[in-house]
Amino acid sequence: HPSPPWDESWPQTWSACLAGVNLVSCEALTCPVASHSRNSASLCRSRLCFQFLGYNPGSEKIEVLRRLGYRRRIARKNSDELSPDHHSLLPLTQATPRARKAEKQAKKVNNMSQFRSEEMLYVQMFIQNDAAHDTLHELGAIGAIQFKDLNKDKSAFQKMFVQDVRKCEDMLRIIRYLKSEMESEKMMSRTSGVPVPKLSSLNELHDRLQELEKEMKEHSTSYKQLLAQRKELSEHLQVLRNASKWFGQANRSGVSFTAPTAGGDEDVGRGAGEMSALLEEGEQSRRPPSMLGHIAGCIPTHNVKDFAVTLFRATRGNMHLKHEELEEVKGMSGEENELKSVFIVYFSGERSRQKIDKICEAFAATKYSLPDTAAGQERTVQEVNERMKDLEIVVARTETYRRQKLSSVVEMVEEWEEQVEREKGVCHTLNKFNYDVSMKALIAEGWCAESAMDDVRRALRAGTLKSGATVQTVLNVLKTREAPPTYFKSSKVTAGFQAIVDAYGMARYQEFNPAVFTFITFPFLFGVMFGDIGHGIMMTMAGGLIILFEKQLKAAAANDMFGTIYDGRYNIFMMGLFATYAGFIYNELFSVPLEALGSTMWCSGEMDDPSCLNIPGINASTSLQKWIRTNINEAYDFKTQQSTGVEVSWDIYPMGQDPGWSHTANKLNSANSFKMKF
Amino acid sequence: SPVPLPPPQSSCWRRKRAEMITFNLDDGFTEAVVRGYRSGILSQGDYSNLGQCDGLEDMRMHLAVTDYGNFLQNEPSPLQTMTISEKCTEKLVEEFNYIRCNASAELAKFLDYITYGYMIDNVILLLTGTLHERDTSELLEKCHPLGKFQSLATLAITTSPKDAYKLVLVDTPLAVYAQKCFTESQDFTELNIEVIRNTLYKAYLEDFYAYTQKLGGATADVMGEILRFEADRRAINITINSLDTELTKEGRGELYCNFGDLYPEGVMRLERADTQDAVRQAVESFGQYRELFQEDQFNRDKSLEDWFFEYEVKLNKLAFEQQFQYGVFYAYMKLKEQEVRNIVWIAECISQDQKSRINQYIPIF
C-alpha cells in the first residue's frame, strides 16, 4: 500500500512477529485498513502482506516477514513488479536450524536435478465440491500432479461422476456423428482464427448438440429418402433406355432367341428379333400382351450370377435373361454407390411371373415398370424425366439447407471436441477422489513434484477464485511409505533423449538419470558409426530446419510418420553435428576421401603409383614404408646407411585419419576396427 | 441301418508326436490368437459387476472396460437389449472371420464345418418363417451372420423339400446333408420341417464327427468328446420333445446320430421310451447324465436346457487344457456364444426389473 495508515497497534504486531509469534496468531489481528476489515482472516492475511511489500520494504520489514515465515520474493526490491498472484503466503514451519540445514541440502539436490528425478511429495487436497471442476481444469493445465485412484475397488458405474462421464461420451458420439456428416458433404472441420464463443456450461453444449443431432437426423432421413427416390428414378430411366436399346438391337441383328409362350400359338419358335414389333402388333390387334411376359429392373452386380442360376432352375430354363452393368452414375452425391446392373427377363406363363417376382425380392432386385410398346416406353421415359426434374430441384434445395446447417457449426466442432475431451478427462480424474465425511468436499491424493508445489498452489487458488467458492482448497503434505513415482523433468531439447532411455527402462525414484549423458553419448556413438562430413551436414540441416520451423510444423506432427521425426528433431540435430565431427576425423565427404588439409603423405603402394617409386632406397613393391612427405632423404643417407643428424619428421596428417587409407586394400578392416575400438 | 463308425484312432502315439512338432507350422498363429481371445472372456468378477448394474447404460459402462471395448460407443441411448446382443454377435463374427482369414487349409475346413451348423439353423428359420408367412427381409435379419449364404433368401419361394433342394441347397455346402432328407415333394408342414432339421443336423454331426476323427490326435480326443455330448443331447431332446406327438418310434430312431456315448444301447432304449420316466431310465446308467434328471426333480428353476449348457461349457473349457489341436476354435465359439447369451440374459433381467433371477446365467471362467 502506498501510504499505509499505520495505527498505534501495528508496532506491537511487528514486535510480536519479531518475537517469533506464529502466523496463526497474526491472522487474528484485524486489518488496520478500514475497508479491509470486513473480510475474513485469510483475506486479511494476504492484504497484510501486501502492505509490507508495497511499502518499499526496509530491511526491518523484510526481517519481520522472514520471521513470519513468508519466504517468497521478499528479496525483490522493485515492488511494482509484483503482481498480486505472486504474493503467495506460504506459512513455513518455524525456521529452526535443522530445517534450514535440510533446506540447504534440498537445494543441493536441486542443483543436481538434471541427474536425479524430482523430489516428490505425497499431497492431499480438500477441495470444496463447487470448486472441484475449475480447480481440476487449472491443475490439468499444469499437469504436475499424478493422482492416486482412491476408488480402485469400485466398478466403473459406481463412481461419483459417472453421469458426467456418460454425458461427455454422449456428446463425443454426437460430435463424431456431425463430423461424419460433414465428411460426407466434403466439408473439412477446421479451426478458424475466429475464437469460438465459449459456451458457459457443458450442459448448454450438450443441449445444443442434442438439438443439432435431432435436427440433422430428421433432416438426413428425409434427405436420404429423396436421394433414394432420385436413385430409383435414374435407375428406371436406365432400365428404359437399355430396354429400348436391346429391343432395337434385336431388331437390327435379328438375333434369335426362342420365346416359348404359354398359349402355344403361332408365336412359338419365332425369332425374338420380331418381338417388339410383334408385341406392338399384338396391342394393336387387342390381343392380350402377356404371352411373353417380361420383368425389368436393377440388381446389385455381385448378385447377377446367382440370380441367373436361380432363375434358370426355377423356370427350368424357360426364360431369357439379359443384363448389363450400369456405368456409375455421375453427380450423385451423398450416397454410397453400389455397382448395379440392369436386367430384363423374358418368360412365359403366370406361374413363372410369380416365381420370378419372388426371386427378384430375394436377390434385392428392384423391378421397374416397362411398357410393352415402344410408344408406351417413350411416354414413360418422358414421365420419369419430368418427375426427375422436379425431384432434382427439391434435392438441390434440401442439400443447400443441409450444407448451411452444417457449415454453421463446422468451425466449432473441433473446439467443442477439445472442450468435451478436457471435461471428460476432468471427470475421470474426479472419479479418483473420495468424499469427506460431510460430503462437502472432495479428498484428492496424489504425487506432486516438490518444485511444482508453487504452481499447484497457484492453480488451486485460481480454481477457487474462478469458481467463486468460499473456502480455499487445503493442501497437505502427507508422509507415506509408498514408493514415489519417478519424474524426470525434461525440456523439449532433452525429451527425445529421455524417451530413448525410458524405452529401455525407468529409473527408480531418485535414482540416477542416464538420459543426461545420453544427450552427448548417443549422438556421439551415432557419429562414430555414421561419420561423414557431407551426410552429417545434411542431417544437421534437416534437424536444424525442423527446429527452426518448430511452431509451424507442430500441426504436421500429428502425422505418425512425421511425428516421430518431429519429436526427435533435437536428436537428429545433435546426431548430425556429431556425424560431421566424426566425418572430419575420418576425412570423408560423401564417402569420398577428403584431402582438405594437404594431400596425403601415403602412396598407395601399388606398383604403378609413381609417387612410391620416387622414394630412394625403397623397393616400392615390397617395402612397408610408403610415406612420401617426409624429410627422410635428408635425415638418412641411404648410400652409406647412416644418419645425417637431421631430425626425422614424418609429417603426420594434421587431423584425423589419413585419407591415404582409403586407397589401401585393408581400408575397411582398419577403419572398422578403429571405429569399434572408439 | 446305421453303420457304426470305426473306433477313434486317437491312441496312436506316433500321430500325436508328429502333431506336436508340426502343428505350429500352420496353425500356431491362429491358435495363439484364439487363446488370446479366450482370455477376454468375461470373468466371474465381471459378471458380478454386471449384475449390480442399475440399467443398460451401466452395463455399457462396465462392458467398455472389458475386452468388448467401445463396441457400443456409437449407439445412442436409450440402449436396447437387442442392440447389445447384435453388437456382441457382430464382435464374435468379426473375430471368427479374422481367424478364418488366417487359417491354413485344414483349419479352414474345420472352421467351415462350424459355420454349417449356423447354416442349418438359418435354413430352418427361413423355412418355418415362410410357412408362417413372415416377411423375408425380417427373417433374414434374424439369421446368424455366420450361416448366411447368397441364395438363402430364395428359400422363401420354395414350397416343398424337393424344390428347396433343387433350387437352393444344391449349391451350398449343405447339399451333401440335404440330399437324403429333401426328397419329398409334398409341401412343407410344421412336422416335416422339424424332421428335416433333425435329419440335417444328424447328417452334419455325423460328418463333422467323422472328419474330426480322421484328423486324429488331440483334435479327435477333444472334439470327439464335445461332439459325442452334442449327439447325446440331441438324442435326449428329440426323445423328450417327441413323446406325445405323431412322430413314430421308427421315425424317431432315424433321427439319432450313429455315434455318441449313448450309442448304441442308450439310443435303442431311448427309441423305445414312451414316458419321461423311461427316458430317465434309459439315460441313468450313463455316469455323466445320471444327475441330469435327479437334479431336475429337486431344483425346478434349473431346466434341462440349463444343465446341458452347463455341461457343454465344462467340456469346452476343458478343450483349452490341451494344446496343438483344433478343439479350441470350436470351444471358443461355443463359449463366446454362451457369454452372449449370459449378457443378454443379464440385460433382460435388468431392463425388466427381475433382479432376483439375474444369477441364473451360466458362469464360464
Side-chain angles (χ1 to χ4, degrees):
Chain A
H1 201 286
S3 54
W6 304 113
D7 64 29
E8 305 317 310
S9 71
W10 272 86
Q12 290 170 15
T13 327
W14 290 2
S15 48
C17 295
L18 281 165
V21 174
N22 203 320
L23 175 76
V24 183
S25 55
C26 281
E27 275 178 21
L29 293 167
T30 44
C31 183
V33 188
S35 59
H36 294 162
S37 57
R38 61 189 148 88
N39 283 325
S40 64
S42 64
L43 256 173
C44 186
R45 184 169 51 155
S46 63
R47 295 255 153 74
L48 183 138
C49 184
F50 256 99
Q51 283 164 349
F52 277 124
L53 290 170
Y55 194 75
N56 190 22
S59 63
E60 201 183 16
K61 281 165 204 157
I62 288 175
E63 180 58 28
V64 173
L65 286 171
R66 258 242 313 276
R67 284 293 183 87
L68 265 170
Y70 299 132
R71 66 166 177 178
R72 302 199 49 225
R73 297 182 192 273
I74 296 168
R76 217 189 258 201
K77 283 283 181 287
N78 192 352
S79 57
D80 293 350
E81 275 176 33
L82 296 174
S83 68
D85 239 19
H86 290 134
H87 295 284
S88 52
L89 300 176
L90 308 174
L92 286 183
T93 45
Q94 290 263 308
T96 56
R98 212 172 125 202
R100 242 179 251 150
K101 205 175 157 193
E103 204 174 332
K104 245 184 212 167
Q105 267 177 350
K107 254 187 197 154
K108 213 185 255 169
V109 173
N110 240 13
N111 289 341
M112 297 271 286
S113 66
Q114 283 299 308
F115 296 97
R116 304 257 174 217
S117 71
E118 295 284 311
E119 244 178 276
M120 303 300 278
L121 296 175
Y122 193 70
V123 292
Q124 186 189 40
M125 282 178 271
F126 293 86
I127 312 173
Q128 210 196 338
N129 281 355
D130 311 337
H133 252 87
D134 292 309
T135 311
L136 263 235
H137 270 294
E138 294 290 330
L139 283 179
I142 17 172
I145 298 186
Q146 178 186 324
F147 286 107
K148 198 182 154 195
D149 194 353
L150 300 176
N151 297 318
K152 240 182 206 152
D153 44 340
K154 286 187 188 163
S155 62
F157 53 85
Q158 285 169 329
K159 294 180 178 171
M160 282 169 293
F161 291 87
V162 91
Q163 291 298 339
D164 298 293
V165 173
R166 222 172 263 163
K167 202 180 275 175
C168 291
E169 262 162 19
D170 193 44
M171 281 192 266
L172 286 177
R173 181 183 60 77
I174 299 175
I175 287 174
R176 272 197 302 274
Y177 167 73
L178 285 178
K179 272 188 162 177
S180 74
E181 289 290 303
M182 280 171 199
E183 231 160 73
S184 73
E185 286 294 328
K186 309 236 164 28
M187 287 205 252
M188 291 312 283
S189 56
R190 56 182 187 273
T191 42
S192 63
V194 191
V196 175
K198 244 206 154 131
L199 289 163
S200 58
S201 74
L202 273 143
N203 280 334
E204 202 175 310
L205 179 59
H206 193 207
D207 291 343
R208 172 116 192 245
L209 280 174
Q210 275 181 333
E211 203 180 298
L212 261 173
E213 190 202 11
K214 209 175 140 210
E215 226 170 280
M216 282 309 297
K217 278 231 162 107
E218 271 172 19
H219 203 256
S220 282
T221 37
S222 62
Y223 183 56
K224 277 203 184 108
Q225 274 170 3
L226 281 177
L227 286 183
Q229 271 179 32
R230 184 173 72 173
K231 200 171 176 186
E232 241 168 57
L233 282 182
S234 79
E235 277 176 12
H236 196 169
L237 266 184
Q238 296 266 15
V239 169
L240 287 168
R241 226 171 273 153
N242 270 305
S244 65
K245 191 174 80 192
W246 285 333
F247 279 125
Q249 246 174 24
N251 263 334
R252 272 196 306 281
S253 63
V255 180
S256 66
F257 53 90
T258 47
T261 50
D265 50 29
E266 75 272 21
D267 287 351
V268 181
R270 283 241 199 152
E274 300 147 41
M275 188 164 54
S276 66
L278 233 165
L279 286 170
E280 229 163 319
E281 232 174 65
E283 203 178 40
Q284 278 160 10
S285 57
R286 302 270 168 218
R287 281 210 328 240
S290 63
M291 301 167 304
L292 196 63
H294 58 232
I295 290 178
C298 262
I299 188 171
T301 304
H302 62 267
N303 275 349
V304 167
K305 221 174 116 195
D306 290 300
F307 182 60
V309 171
T310 315
L311 275 179
F312 186 86
R313 285 205 192 117
T315 58
R316 290 158 209 258
N318 249 344
M319 58 99 209
H320 181 79
L321 173 74
K322 219 166 156 51
H323 62 87
E324 190 175 297
E325 199 169 305
L326 280 184
E327 67 269 31
E328 216 166 301
V329 193
K330 291 274 177 321
M332 294 278 192
S333 60
E335 59 191 300
E336 61 271 28
N337 275 321
E338 198 181 13
L339 280 181
K340 289 239 177 173
S341 289
V342 174
F343 71 88
I344 184 161
V345 197
Y346 302 105
F347 57 87
S348 62
E350 196 49 35
R351 269 195 65 166
S352 295
R353 175 185 288 279
Q354 279 169 11
K355 266 188 191 165
I356 291 171
D357 266 349
K358 275 192 176 164
I359 293 174
C360 284
E361 204 178 303
F363 279 95
T366 26
K367 292 171 291 182
Y368 294 105
S369 69
L370 180 63
D372 292 330
T373 61
Q377 281 176 20
E378 270 306 306
R379 246 195 329 271
T380 325
V381 168
Q382 275 174 7
E383 264 170 42
V384 172
N385 262 334
E386 259 165 45
R387 276 176 60 200
M388 189 82 172
K389 239 182 252 162
D390 294 343
L391 201 63
E392 281 296 348
I393 297 169
V394 184
V395 167
R397 207 172 290 157
T398 324
E399 203 177 335
T400 7
Y401 178 77
R402 187 179 142 86
R403 286 188 75 94
Q404 263 174 6
K405 215 53 238 158
L406 279 175
S407 62
S408 69
V409 290
V410 73
E411 276 164 7
M412 285 175 301
V413 164
E414 291 285 330
E415 177 80 20
W416 282 346
E417 191 174 14
E418 196 193 317
Q419 270 181 35
V420 177
E421 284 284 5
R422 212 180 276 266
E423 186 64 27
K424 195 173 148 195
V426 165
C427 289
H428 271 306
T429 317
L430 283 173
N431 268 336
K432 292 181 177 173
F433 297 174
N434 245 337
Y435 266 117
D436 77 341
V437 198
S438 63
M439 298 291 276
K440 278 181 184 153
L442 285 163
I443 306 173
E445 282 175 27
W447 291 99
C448 171
E450 200 192 2
S451 56
M453 282 296 270
D454 294 342
D455 293 332
V456 170
R457 288 200 174 90
R458 214 172 296 141
L460 289 180
R461 212 166 313 118
T464 321
L465 269 180
K466 216 162 98 184
S467 66
T470 46
V471 183
Q472 273 277 359
T473 301
V474 179
L475 181 74
N476 291 331
V477 175
L478 299 184
K479 272 191 182 160
T480 175
R481 312 193 90 173
E482 273 177 66
T486 314
Y487 170 48
F488 292 119
K489 234 185 201 169
S490 57
S491 63
K492 62 181 178 180
V493 182
T494 56
F497 296 97
Q498 188 76 56
I500 292 172
V501 172
D502 287 350
Y504 282 94
M506 255 338 236
R508 259 180 296 179
Y509 178 60
Q510 290 271 293
E511 225 173 28
F512 194 76
N513 182 11
V516 183
F517 291 104
T518 323
F519 186 67
I520 296 300
T521 53
F522 184 83
F524 174 72
L525 283 175
F526 175 84
V528 168
M529 290 184 283
F530 192 73
D532 187 300
I533 300 168
H535 295 138
I537 287 175
M538 278 170 69
M539 196 159 171
T540 318
M541 276 182 359
L545 278 176
I546 303 179
I547 292 170
L548 205 63
F549 297 105
E550 210 166 46
K551 283 193 185 121
Q552 290 94 313
L553 288 173
K554 188 143 195 163
N559 177 338
D560 238 14
M561 278 285 274
F562 184 68
T564 321
I565 296 171
Y566 182 82
D567 290 340
R569 58 198 184 278
Y570 287 96
N571 301 33
I572 292 172
F573 182 70
M574 291 295 287
M575 276 147 58
L577 280 185
F578 276 91
T580 318
Y581 166 72
F584 276 111
I585 300 295
Y586 302 155
N587 279 313
E588 256 188 350
L589 178 78
F590 291 122
S591 302
V592 174
L594 175 75
E595 302 188 2
L597 304 167
S599 60
T600 174
M601 58 185 173
W602 287 83
C603 61
S604 69
E606 305 294 324
M607 280 304 284
D608 52 352
D609 189 347
S611 52
C612 278
L613 301 173
N614 291 338
I615 307 171
I618 289 178
N619 184 348
S621 60
T622 54
S623 173
L624 286 171
Q625 294 184 320
K626 284 176 185 137
W627 46 84
I628 39 180
R629 275 199 324 195
T630 157
N631 61 348
I632 194 141
N633 285 330
E634 294 152 36
Y636 190 79
D637 189 352
F638 283 97
K639 277 176 193 146
T640 58
Q641 305 222 328
Q642 266 177 354
S643 164
T644 56
V646 179
E647 206 182 329
V648 184
S649 130
W650 295 107
D651 192 10
I652 291 168
Y653 200 77
M655 192 179 99
Q657 200 179 16
D658 195 307
W661 274 104
S662 56
H663 299 299
T664 60
N666 64 346
K667 180 216 172 181
L668 205 65
N669 290 339
S670 62
N672 279 353
S673 122
F674 171 72
K675 288 177 188 180
M676 243 182 271
K677 271 159 198 159
F678 224 158
Chain B
S1 61
V3 184
L5 290 171
Q9 315 155 348
S10 57
S11 52
C12 177
W13 68 272
R14 217 173 271 161
R15 191 186 278 249
K16 219 169 205 175
R17 190 55 68 79
E19 192 177 49
M20 275 184 171
I21 296 168
T22 57
F23 184 87
N24 280 355
L25 283 182
D26 289 332
D27 308 311
F29 172 68
T30 33
E31 193 194 357
V33 169
V34 90
R35 279 178 188 276
Y37 285 157
R38 195 227 91 151
S39 56
I41 288 178
L42 297 186
S43 67
Q44 196 64 58
D46 289 321
Y47 280 121
S48 63
N49 272 331
L50 284 177
Q52 289 163 21
C53 291
D54 285 328
L56 297 187
E57 290 301 313
D58 286 349
M59 277 190 79
R60 168 178 6 208
M61 203 84 190
H62 185 79
L63 285 174
V65 296
T66 65
D67 251 34
Y68 281 102
N70 305 336
F71 76 127
L72 289 172
Q73 73 168 356
N74 280 339
E75 299 303 320
S77 24
L79 216 54
Q80 304 291 325
T81 320
M82 269 297 285
T83 332
I84 296 183
S85 108
E86 260 166 37
K87 286 276 164 182
C88 287
T89 314
E90 204 173 278
K91 186 145 191 297
L92 174 60
V93 170
E94 214 171 87
E95 287 170 351
F96 180 85
N97 285 337
Y98 179 73
I99 296 174
R100 176 68 182 75
C101 290
N102 284 294
S104 62
E106 201 64 59
L107 178 60
K109 195 173 170 199
F110 180 86
L111 292 175
D112 285 343
Y113 264 107
I114 296 180
T115 60
Y116 298 162
Y118 297 108
M119 277 189 197
I120 294 176
D121 288 342
N122 285 351
V123 166
I124 300 300
L125 177 77
L126 231 91
L127 291 181
T128 0
T130 321
L131 191 68
H132 291 126
E133 287 171 4
R134 294 284 190 78
D135 188 36
T136 315
S137 58
E138 184 191 326
L139 289 170
L140 279 179
E141 259 171 42
K142 280 188 188 159
C143 285
H144 197 285
L146 278 184
K148 274 192 184 161
F149 49 91
Q150 179 78 80
S151 48
L152 185 61
T154 326
L155 274 175
I157 62 163
T158 58
T159 48
S160 70
K162 206 172 177 182
D163 225 17
Y165 176 70
K166 278 199 169 164
L167 204 56
V168 185
L169 294 176
V170 69
D171 269 347
T172 64
L174 297 184
V176 203
Y177 313 136
Q179 223 169 2
K180 291 166 204 156
C181 51
F182 279 83
T183 45
E184 296 172 56
S185 47
Q186 80 188 79
D187 281 2
F188 284 119
T189 62
E190 195 106 15
L191 182 69
N192 72 9
I193 288 183
E194 202 52 40
V195 170
I196 282 172
R197 177 217 295 275
N198 284 309
T199 8
L200 257 185
Y201 231 100
K202 168 190 144 93
Y204 158 64
L205 276 180
E206 281 170 2
D207 189 30
F208 194 12
Y209 185 72
Y211 172 68
T212 54
Q213 295 311 307
K214 203 185 88 205
L215 283 178
T219 309
D221 281 351
V222 173
M223 284 308 294
E225 199 167 350
I226 295 175
L227 290 178
R228 278 197 297 274
F229 164 71
E230 187 66 35
D232 292 346
R233 166 157 82 172
R234 295 200 75 80
I236 295 172
N237 275 337
I238 289 169
T239 318
I240 290 175
N241 291 337
S242 67
L243 278 182
D244 294 318
T245 57
E246 46 195 290
L247 190 70
T248 60
K249 282 183 184 165
E250 291 75 41
R252 195 201 292 169
E254 273 168 26
L255 302 179
Y256 298 137
C257 295
N258 64 355
F259 68 97
D261 289 336
L262 290 178
Y263 184 83
E265 298 96 310
V267 166
M268 261 152 70
R269 267 186 261 168
L270 279 178
E271 193 181 333
R272 269 181 261 133
D274 280 321
T275 58
Q276 186 113 1
D277 216 36
V279 176
R280 186 172 62 84
Q281 276 170 4
V283 166
E284 221 167 29
S285 52
F286 295 87
Q288 68 265 47
Y289 304 124
R290 187 171 302 145
E291 54 179 320
L292 174 55
F293 287 96
Q294 285 168 0
E295 212 171 310
D296 195 36
Q297 278 169 352
F298 293 118
N299 198 350
R300 274 289 156 202
D301 49 82
K302 197 172 182 182
S303 64
L304 203 63
E305 197 79 347
D306 284 345
W307 191 90
F308 280 133
F309 276 140
E310 223 163 79
Y311 194 77
E312 190 188 14
V313 164
K314 193 176 126 198
L315 285 182
N316 284 326
K317 261 158 66 177
L318 283 178
F320 281 94
E321 301 296 320
Q322 286 208 57
Q323 226 188 326
F324 310 126
Q325 43 100 8
Y326 291 157
V328 283
F329 300 99
Y330 184 85
Y332 177 71
M333 289 303 287
K334 291 291 157 189
L335 288 180
K336 203 74 184 172
E337 256 184 32
Q338 184 59 47
E339 181 178 293
V340 175
R341 274 197 293 271
N342 287 346
I343 290 175
V344 171
W345 170 262
I346 291 174
E348 283 291 356
C349 282
I350 288 172
S351 58
Q352 291 175 21
D353 224 8
Q354 297 263 337
K355 282 220 158 180
S356 54
R357 303 186 60 196
I358 227 167
N359 285 326
Q360 286 178 28
Y361 64 85
I362 290 146
I364 299 176
F365 282 108

